[in-house]
Amino acid sequence: MTSFDVWHGRFHSIGIARNPECRACVHRDLRYLRGDAQPRLTLCGRDSVQIHEQRRQLDLPAMGRRLANTVSHVRENGFLLRFLVPPYEMTVFADGRAIIKGTRDPSVARSLYARYIGA
């Protein structure tokens, strides 16, 4: 397994044991990567909601320029766009997914997503 730190250009690899009955490793059933088994919203860690909007492509540099006048701490690196809408932090990915940190309420997360990313 390899973990990437895209902000600092570092990675770390570790070996892992495989389950011989694993649906993904053995049978190549990658339903989560295709988005077939993903719910639209999930709680993601502490005080965060992830929105799984994978059926749209976003132009992150253009979105960052547009948001720079209305939100603070806009950072974009080609893979993701992160910005603050106090007390929330939003991380948006090019495939449309987003993590809204600072809430556990899916309706708050959806509202922020619609307002800053689009419906």
Side-chain angles (χ1 to χ4, degrees):
M1 179 167 77
T2 303
S3 171
F4 292 94
D5 179 344
V6 297
W7 293 113
H8 298 100
R10 294 184 295 220
F11 69 94
H12 179 73
S13 296
I14 61 171
I16 58 172
R18 291 189 180 197
N19 177 349
E21 299 301 317
C22 177
R23 181 174 50 224
C25 296
V26 176
H27 303 289
R28 304 304 293 162
D29 179 4
L30 306 174
R31 67 180 70 171
Y32 287 94
L33 292 177
R34 289 191 311 267
D36 298 339
Q38 289 281 9
R40 293 304 234 187
L41 293 166
T42 57
L43 294 179
C44 180
R46 186 183 310 183
D47 293 331
S48 296
V49 175
Q50 183 169 187
I51 297 179
H52 302 277
E53 230 1 278
Q54 292 182 328
R55 288 169 177 72
R56 65 192 295 188
Q57 289 296 309
L58 300 174
D59 182 344
L60 297 179
M63 181 178 287
R65 288 189 298 275
R66 179 178 55 84
L67 290 172
N69 296 323
T70 51
V71 300
S72 61
H73 296 88
V74 177
R75 292 176 57 191
E76 185 270 325
N77 68 3
F79 299 101
L80 58 91
L81 172 70
R82 182 172 289 156
F83 57 93
L84 298 178
V85 181
Y88 309 105
E89 177 183 276
M90 296 184 66
T91 303
V92 183
F93 301 90
D95 66 358
R97 291 176 299 121
I99 298 174
I100 292 83
K101 185 176 179 182
T103 185
R104 292 182 188 177
D105 186 341
S107 62
V108 169
R110 276 185 232 211
S111 175
L112 289 165
Y113 187 94
R115 180 173 183 184
Y116 295 100
I117 288 94

